[in-house]
Amino acid sequence: MPRLLLCLLLLGLPWLAQAQVRSYDSIVDSGVLKVALYDDFAPYSFRQQGEPRGVDYALAKALADGLGLRLEVIWAPPGEKLDDDLRDLIWKGHYLRPGVLADVMLRVPYDRAFSFKSNEFGELINELVVMFAPYQRERWQVAYDRRRLEAVPSIAVFQRHPIGVEVESVPSFYLSSVFDGLVREQTHHYPNPQQAFAGLQRGEVHAVMAMRGEIDWQLAQAGNPDLVLAENAYPNMGKQVWDIGMAVHESNRQLAYALEEQLEILILDGRVKAIYAEYGLRYELPGLYQDVD
């Protein structure tokens, strides 16, 4: 850390103090909704030739419009853990972005167990965060090249066929351990799903495993009829399906209620599904809406 920055941190100068959470009234008075989105995370949120793109960006814009506010995006690189991202973007801030907090963050797991996760002292890790408003159900997905692989009836076929995954991802850990490691040698690692998919197109691997949205996006971009979706299961994987929602500071529940109201309108009138279709993605309702008769 640079010496000057370290000195400022130790002195506790005001401009490095904890960022202030804006109240709902302050947000409305400002005319701006600040939304945290992950950067370089296609098809969810990314920039293309300098222009913001992605289903999360489009949803954030629709939510801001519904509240009569202008959208301001806080582009954020993912941290090592989601807990870190919530701290840096929602309730405390980051020393490299002093004074900067988002009003709401998208692409946060809507999961009770995660929301109430505690540390070794029994303290809630995310007690200053409210996770709410599920807007999409996500799954793991395999795509394969049917010129090199007839079908994927189960993961077991990857004992003989190479498959690409993102390094240090859930698919990476899963394929390296399932069936007592019998798939490990055929599991090829890439920096991200896009490069894994590029490896598929070059014939380096015969399949790719990633999140369903990422796979759908890559297939839509490739436009190659020989690259198709598999319909296999993932034995012994643990959590294979999860819902994605939003997060705000626990003091800002009024904003959460307003966003929930706008989101329900967008889901029920089909606009969220249309956003996903625009990017070539399948849209699955989160469990909260599937359970409604």
Side-chain angles (χ1 to χ4, degrees), residues 26-252:
S26 296
I27 293 168
V28 172
D29 289 344
S30 75
V32 174
L33 180 68
K34 298 181 180 181
V35 180
L37 300 177
Y38 285 120
D39 201 2
D40 194 23
F41 194 25
Y44 309 109
S45 47
F46 60 105
R47 286 175 276 191
Q48 192 171 61
Q49 297 179 340
E51 294 298 318
R53 299 284 313 279
V55 292
D56 284 354
Y57 169 75
L59 177 60
K61 181 71 166 60
L63 290 169
D65 288 346
L67 294 176
L69 301 172
R70 177 175 62 83
L71 173 64
E72 179 180 319
V73 175
I74 297 175
W75 294 101
E80 292 186 4
K81 298 184 298 182
L82 177 58
D83 302 327
D84 298 336
D85 298 337
L86 292 170
R87 177 198 63 217
D88 294 345
L89 295 164
I90 293 297
W91 63 268
K92 185 176 183 180
H94 193 282
Y95 70 86
L96 292 178
R97 296 191 300 269
V100 176
L101 281 180
D103 302 317
V104 59
M105 178 178 175
L106 268 60
R107 198 141 295 272
V108 174
Y110 182 75
D111 180 87
R112 181 176 177 82
F114 181 81
S115 297
F116 292 95
K117 183 174 64 171
S118 59
N119 60 22
E120 64 270 25
F121 305 109
E123 302 166 331
L124 290 178
I125 293 175
N126 295 303
E127 65 175 343
L128 296 178
V129 177
V130 174
M131 301 174 211
F132 68 105
Y135 59 88
Q136 177 219 340
R137 175 156 284 187
E138 188 65 271
R139 298 173 180 266
W140 298 110
Q141 177 72 60
V142 167
Y144 66 99
D145 188 334
R146 58 185 176 186
R147 294 168 298 186
R148 298 179 171 89
L149 184 58
E150 289 185 5
V152 183
S154 82
I155 290 295
V157 302
F158 299 118
Q159 296 177 59
R160 303 180 305 277
H161 293 272
I163 181 170
V165 296
E166 181 178 17
V167 66
E168 295 186 353
S169 65
V170 171
S172 169
F173 297 129
Y174 172 67
L175 293 173
S176 297
S177 60
V178 71
F179 302 143
D180 295 324
L182 291 177
V183 181
R184 185 183 300 122
E185 290 187 4
Q186 293 286 8
T187 302
H188 295 228
H189 294 88
Y190 294 85
N192 53 51
Q194 294 94 325
Q195 293 192 38
F197 205 87
L200 174 64
Q201 293 180 294
R202 292 191 298 266
E204 297 171 358
V205 293
H206 297 174
V208 171
M209 183 175 178
M211 287 188 289
R212 179 172 61 180
E214 293 172 319
I215 293 292
D216 286 352
W217 166 250
Q218 293 298 325
L219 287 175
Q221 295 297 295
N224 185 341
D226 290 316
L227 306 180
V228 296
L229 297 169
E231 297 182 1
N232 57 287
Y234 307 104
N236 304 318
M237 187 177 191
K239 194 154 195 171
Q240 303 182 30
V241 178
W242 64 100
D243 289 342
I244 296 296
M246 313 180 199
V248 298
H249 191 275
E250 60 87 21
S251 67
N252 217 348

